[in-house]
Amino acid sequence: MSLLTVQDLGKSFGGVKAVDGISFTLAPGELLALIGPNGAGKSTTFNMVNGQLKADRGSIRLGGQELVGRRPRDIWRLGVGRTFQIAETFESLTVVENVQMALLAQDRLLYAMWRCAADHKRQQAIALLEQVGMAAQADRPCSELAYGDVKRVELAIAMANEPKLLLMDEPTAGMAPQERNALMALTKQLVVERGMAVLFTEHSMDVVFAYADRMIVLARGRLIAEGKPLEIRDHPKVQEVYFGSGKTFEKTQESAA
Ligand code: ADP
Ligand code: MG
């Protein structure tokens, strides 16, 4: 049974068909990779699912509910989370304070109340940090953390709303290979433990092949292939897009980095 059902989704910018009638589904507990060359329409797809962009056509259903036409905040409340980069303004807060902020947002408390609510939600925030292996660093300022650890905190923040579906647009950008693997292994673990669904984009094909349950491939706004990682690797249309110009998956990754 699918959690997310996308049908004939489309979005144009001027004359450019950024997303041109794509359909796919996503099941609970599934890690689905959305890949494709730069400009293929991956981010546009993400932003239609989270409500930042309104689709020109088509439908996006979460459970039985239509998401097209809803505001980002309402879509978030329905259980669609996404990872945000910790803003510079929050870097001076400690790790646990950043997660407490996310929990406060969930309760719709105002930022102004933050200081009065100093210890509010601390236990819950620590529990989330335990899940991403960051509880021991809870009281350090985020500005002191290694890059890979900041990404773990961002994941904990995204989990605060207990999303049914988590969207991760290039979560491992700028990370060293070892850090990438650690973050995706952690994501995979959360998917398995919580039955959460994840839709993610990723440049490193090593990461995609190692962690994705299934993949969909976009090129120029169209969905050209769908399947398990090994099926995709040998798919003629995918070979054409990635290898046709003499590139390998790895070279594509390097040129995109
Ligand atoms: P990807 O994330 O796969 O690299 P995008 O979804 O960002 O691709 O972009 C798909 C196409 O839509 C590209 O041709 C891009 O230039 C265009 N595009 C994306 N966002 C906008 C925008 N806000 N205004 C105009 N064109 C856009
Ligand atoms: Mg993008």
Side-chain angles (χ1 to χ4, degrees):
M1 206 201 65
S2 71
L3 171 70
L4 185 77
T5 307
V6 171
Q7 277 177 314
D8 194 32
L9 190 65
K11 178 79 186 173
S12 296
F13 296 105
V16 179
K17 290 180 176 174
V19 175
D20 189 11
I22 66 169
S23 302
F24 63 91
T25 62
L26 182 49
E30 191 176 35
L31 203 55
L32 179 64
L34 176 57
I35 71 160
N38 280 337
K42 302 181 297 293
S43 293
T44 303
T45 301
F46 270 73
N47 290 333
M48 285 191 279
V49 176
N50 70 37
Q52 297 288 119
L53 281 175
K54 189 169 186 306
D56 294 339
R57 69 176 219 249
S59 151
I60 304 169
R61 292 183 157 268
L62 183 80
Q65 286 174 300
E66 180 59 62
L67 301 186
V68 174
R70 288 184 199 260
R71 292 173 305 170
R73 182 112 195 136
D74 296 331
I75 291 173
W76 178 77
R77 283 203 193 105
L78 287 172
V80 179
R82 62 182 176 127
T83 47
F84 283 96
Q85 291 197 331
I86 292 175
E88 273 175 36
T89 44
F90 292 158
E91 275 184 3
S92 61
L93 296 181
T94 65
V95 168
V96 70
E97 285 170 345
N98 262 289
V99 180
Q100 283 172 272
M101 283 284 295
L103 290 163
L104 290 171
Q106 185 191 346
D107 285 355
R108 297 179 223 173
L109 291 177
L110 295 171
Y111 176 65
M113 294 172 70
W114 162 247
R115 288 296 163 192
C116 327
D119 257 357
H120 192 67
K121 302 283 186 187
R122 187 177 160 96
Q123 284 316 109
Q124 218 179 321
I126 295 283
L128 280 163
L129 287 168
E130 268 162 12
Q131 292 197 37
V132 299
M134 285 297 293
Q137 303 194 64
D139 295 312
R140 294 181 64 192
C142 274
S143 55
E144 284 180 8
L145 298 182
Y147 190 69
D149 288 342
V150 172
K151 293 288 159 183
R152 286 173 175 267
V153 177
E154 287 172 2
L155 189 55
I157 289 170
M159 301 302 296
N161 189 40
E162 297 184 9
K164 294 179 194 139
L165 167 64
L166 182 62
L167 305 173
M168 304 171 88
D169 197 357
E170 305 198 22
T172 72
M175 294 176 104
Q178 216 176 341
E179 284 181 326
R180 287 181 179 174
N181 279 303
L183 186 74
M184 290 315 296
L186 173 62
T187 305
K188 179 87 183 180
Q189 186 192 330
L190 293 172
V191 163
V192 170
E193 284 172 6
R194 298 185 168 222
M196 181 177 72
V198 172
L199 179 64
F200 74 110
T201 63
E202 171 62 56
H203 279 306
S204 163
M205 287 304 137
D206 285 349
V207 169
V208 173
F209 287 128
Y211 296 102
D213 295 311
R214 202 154 53 86
M215 300 168 64
I216 52 181
V217 187
L218 293 188
R220 296 209 184 109
R222 297 197 158 241
L223 200 155
I224 60 163
E226 174 173 10
K228 300 218 178 284
L230 286 176
E231 295 164 357
I232 293 295
R233 202 199 290 258
D234 300 327
H235 196 289
K237 278 191 192 164
V238 180
Q239 299 260 328
E240 200 181 303
V241 166
Y242 278 95
F243 300 100
S245 55
K247 285 178 177 172
T248 67
F249 274 119
E250 281 314 301
K251 281 181 188 157
T252 306
Q253 169 196 336
E254 278 164 20
S255 61

